[in-house]
């Protein structure tokens, strides 16, 4: 069951829109404004779902998803 979600996007409007939709579904949503911040958050806590923009400053979305997979390799 998905309860906790990390959303990473450097576009504040998109970040806010996706977060609002997820929160309306009753999910616990954490936001990261770039890839580096998302990876730092992954190091501190676990998430059931990670949604990431691909093109972001500092670290891109592929790097974010690889970091998530390295921390929790379960499918």
């Amino acid at each position: 069951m998905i309860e906790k979600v990390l959303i990473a996007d450097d576009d504040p409007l998109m970040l806010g829109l996706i977060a609002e939709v997820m929160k309306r579904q009753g999910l616990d949503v954490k936001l990261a404004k770039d890839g580096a911040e998302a990876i730092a958050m992954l190091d501190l806590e676990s998430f059931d779902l990670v949604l990431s923009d691909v093109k972001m400053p500092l670290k891109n979305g592929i790097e974010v998803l690889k970091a998530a997979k390295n921390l929790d390799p379960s499918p």
Side-chain angles (χ1 to χ4, degrees), residues 56-67:
M56 293 185 291
L58 305 178
K59 299 284 185 181
N60 65 41
I62 301 302
E63 292 170 298
V64 170
L65 298 179
K66 283 182 181 178

Side-chain angles (χ1 to χ4, degrees), residues 6-10 15 30-34 37-38 41 56:
L6 172 61
I7 305 170
D9 198 323
D10 60 323
L15 191 62
K30 305 290 182 180
L31 306 176
K33 66 182 179 302
D34 58 49
E37 184 176 17
M41 293 173 77
M56 293 185 291

Side-chain angles (χ1 to χ4, degrees), residues 2-72:
I2 297 173
E3 294 179 8
K4 194 170 182 184
V5 179
L6 172 61
I7 305 170
D9 198 323
D10 60 323
D11 179 343
L13 292 175
M14 185 60 70
L15 191 62
L17 177 65
I18 296 169
E20 183 62 31
V21 170
M22 295 283 191
K23 287 178 183 179
R24 286 184 184 180
Q25 298 301 312
L27 299 172
D28 179 13
V29 178
K30 305 290 182 180
L31 306 176
K33 66 182 179 302
D34 58 49
E37 184 176 17
I39 291 171
M41 293 173 77
L42 287 166
D43 286 336
L44 297 175
E45 53 189 304
S46 63
F47 295 90
D48 301 311
L49 177 67
V50 177
L51 296 175
S52 180
D53 185 7
V54 175
K55 291 184 179 183
M56 293 185 291
L58 305 178
K59 299 284 185 181
N60 65 41
I62 301 302
E63 292 170 298
V64 170
L65 298 179
K66 283 182 181 178
K69 185 70 171 172
N70 287 337
L71 290 168
D72 183 5

